[in-house]
Amino acid sequence: MKLHEYQAKEIFAEAGIPVPESQLADSVEGVLDAVAEIGYPAAIKAQVHVGGRGKAGGIKIATNEDEAREAADAILGMDLKGYTVDRVLVEQGVDFVDEYYVGVTMDRGEGKPVAMVSTKGGVDIEQVAEEDPEAIAQEHIDPAFGLHPYQARKVVYDAGVPAEYARDVTSILSKLYDLYEDNDASDIEVNPVMITADDDVIAADAVMNIDEDALFRHPDLAEMEEDAYQNDLERKAGEYGFDYVRLSGNTGIIGNGAGLVMTTLDLVDYYGGTPANFLDIGGGAKAERVANALDMVFSDENVDSVVFNIFGGITRGDEVAKGINEALEQFDEIPKPVVVRLAGTNAKEGMEILNTDLVQVEATLAEAVQRAVKNAEEVAQ
């Protein structure tokens, strides 16, 4: 579960991490009321689950009422990388002289959490990792003992943080790790940690992602889940128990297994299409589950065609085919062309069972993807 910036900052503030004064607003008048109370300059920041909001026009600085109104008008309702902005965070402007990165995530290769600090903050940290990996200091953490104080000091020192700011940056890192551990987070970071002109150290941004399977242990976070959804499709995915990510393309993708879905995404791109989503329906493909998946994909106005990529393992291919037939028969009209590819146990029997009046059947994944991409191109014309 991805928390919005405003939600993460509320948690950070409660933990003692310094954050700018801010208010949430969902209208132009709400923005003006908030900025009148907070003061100028103020940052008006779109609350959507995407990176690069600033470059995409989702963050603007206002120094007076006219600029605040103009920024609110521009951001509220805008389409930001496929998401409609319906809320903004109005935040006190920060007069900064430097920007750092501080975060904790899971290093799956090492099987341990890793604390990361860099003096190259305020930019895409993945880009920094690719172009200048030595600019990111790392310290692996034994989860049995947690982040020792000496480890926090060491990684801050290794990153080259000046001595006059090291204590405050170390404090932020230690508190981030406590939040990471206590809340079953998968990622937590501040990018940037800003050094102000008055030599204060402030968390100017906040990212906190929670392991959804652990929400039963955190009722306070579970209450945030509804607000954490960005749109109706994400809300439906949560209700149906699907792993779902909306993308910006027009070829809908449904599969059972994350690896299978990722392969399909790659092939859609390879054959000149653009994926509309990542949708993993998990194990089993009973009619109700398939119908729910189709309901989600059909509900996405960006989708022009759909490709089903199902591998029959424990669930046999003929059972999957029956589920697809039953699901499609629930629709009075199939709104978008559907291509199906089955593989694995009883795949041949399943392909014979599929109702070709409702779906297009292809023998291989490559053929299915090419058919779906072609369908999308024809619908879009």
Side-chain angles (χ1 to χ4, degrees), residues 16-18 152 156 165-177:
I17 296 173
V156 170
Y165 310 126
R167 183 186 296 273
D168 289 336
V169 175
T170 299
S171 175
I172 289 176
L173 175 59
S174 298
K175 289 171 181 174
L176 285 180
Y177 181 77

Side-chain angles (χ1 to χ4, degrees), residues 20 25 93 121 131 198 245 275 331 374:
E131 297 177 355
D198 296 327
V245 179
F331 294 90
K374 183 178 179 182

